[in-house]
Structure formats: structure tokens, C-alpha cells
Amino acid sequence: MIMPKGQLLLMPANPVFMWVTLLIALVLNTVPWGRQAWMPDWLALVLVFWSVHQPQRVGMGAAFVFGLLMDVTSSGPLGLQALGFVGLVYLSTALHRRIVWFSLPVQALQVLPLFVVSTTIEVVARVASGGVMPGWTIVLAPVLQAALWPPMSSILLAPQRRSPTRDGKRAG
């Protein structure tokens, strides 16, 4: 595959780092700082990131388990978040080769529809199960998640950019 100009080859992702970042995102979602409809879903953001960059390691099974954990911690209908996360990871895995080809700002535009679809799935499932329709501020969550994509990508890819040798004479 021809690499885009200026893009470095990355080292393999450390599986422990991947799962720790997913657990940190789960904790960030469960912090009781007044969960508002407009707040970004950190776990969805990190799940999409790893399913785009490491689709063989983070897939729909992980999305389902983390969705169930979110349902349990939020005392919501069991399977609601899981359904949204599985749809999100399915779409991001299907588009992962396309997404990584672009620069980070364009990647954010590419993942915005994924976050919109996931939020729509969750809202429709919540309303169909007898829940209350959230206000218009629910529209801000996917936009904030897409806006957080470039800085989150830079942070999560940082350990893979280091030099594979300790002497530091190689590029990277």
C-alpha cells in the first residue's frame, strides 16, 4: 500500500494500552458530573478509534460488552447502549480502510455520520421502549465527538510513533 506523503509507519499497538484506554473511557462516561445529553460519549469515541486502527482486536464483541457495562452503570434498559455501540463499531470497521487514508480533520468529518447514526439508534430504541425523547441538545453530542477526534487520535497514536530502537537514531 502506498502511504500518503508525510505519514509515518506506526509501530504495532500495545493491547494492554488499548484495553486500558477503553476502561478509562468507560470510567469517564460513568463519572457523575451531571450527564447531559450534549456531552460526548468518550467510550464511543475510543471504541471507534480502536475499531478503525485495530479492527482485528476491537470489534463488535467488545462493543457489545462495553455497551452492556454502560447499560448497567447508567441503570438504563439492558442492551440499549450495546445496540448503539455494535452499530457504531460495525460501521467504523466497514469503513476503516477509507478513514485512515485522510488527514485528521477530514477523518473527523468521516466519523461524524457514524456518531450521528449511533446516537439515532440509541434515541429511537429509547423512545420505542417507552423512554422520554431527549431535547435538541442531543444533536451536539455527535458533533463534539467528531470535534474531539483529532486530539484524541493524536493522544492515542502517540505510543505507536516512538522509535523502535532505544538509541533514537531512526526517524519516528
Side-chain angles (χ1 to χ4, degrees):
M1 178 175 141
I2 299 173
M3 297 293 294
K5 191 172 187 171
Q7 185 175 350
L8 297 173
L9 280 174
L10 299 173
M11 292 177 41
N14 184 350
V16 173
F17 177 71
M18 291 171 39
W19 294 106
V20 166
T21 58
L22 284 165
L23 290 174
I24 290 171
L26 176 70
V27 169
L28 281 175
N29 271 4
T30 59
V31 170
W33 48 32
R35 182 79 178 140
Q36 302 294 323
W38 58 268
M39 290 184 69
D41 189 348
W42 297 100
L43 187 55
L45 183 63
V46 175
L47 273 170
V48 169
F49 177 83
W50 287 121
S51 66
V52 165
H53 289 280
Q54 296 291 322
Q56 69 277 10
R57 290 195 177 147
V58 177
M60 289 187 284
F64 185 75
V65 169
F66 279 109
L68 287 179
L69 288 173
M70 279 302 301
D71 288 331
V72 168
T73 59
S74 67
S75 301
L78 197 60
L80 185 70
Q81 288 275 347
L83 179 65
F85 285 170
V86 167
L88 184 65
V89 168
Y90 172 76
L91 291 172
S92 61
T93 303
L95 298 173
H96 80 276
R97 290 179 190 248
R98 174 184 172 173
I99 292 171
V100 296
W101 187 257
F102 297 108
S103 66
L104 287 178
V106 179
Q107 284 181 15
L109 291 175
Q110 296 286 319
V111 297
L112 176 61
L114 303 179
F115 293 133
V116 169
V117 167
S118 172
T119 303
T120 303
I121 289 171
E122 290 176 24
V123 168
V124 167
R126 177 171 289 139
V127 170
S129 67
V132 179
M133 177 74 171
W136 66 271
T137 57
I138 192 78
V139 175
L140 296 177
V143 174
L144 286 175
Q145 287 169 245
L148 287 170
W149 181 264
M152 187 65 76
S153 294
S154 298
I155 291 168
L156 293 177
L157 285 177
Q160 295 173 330
R161 289 192 180 108
R162 68 184 194 287
S163 176
T165 61
R166 294 288 181 201
D167 60 7
K169 293 183 181 179
R170 294 187 181 185

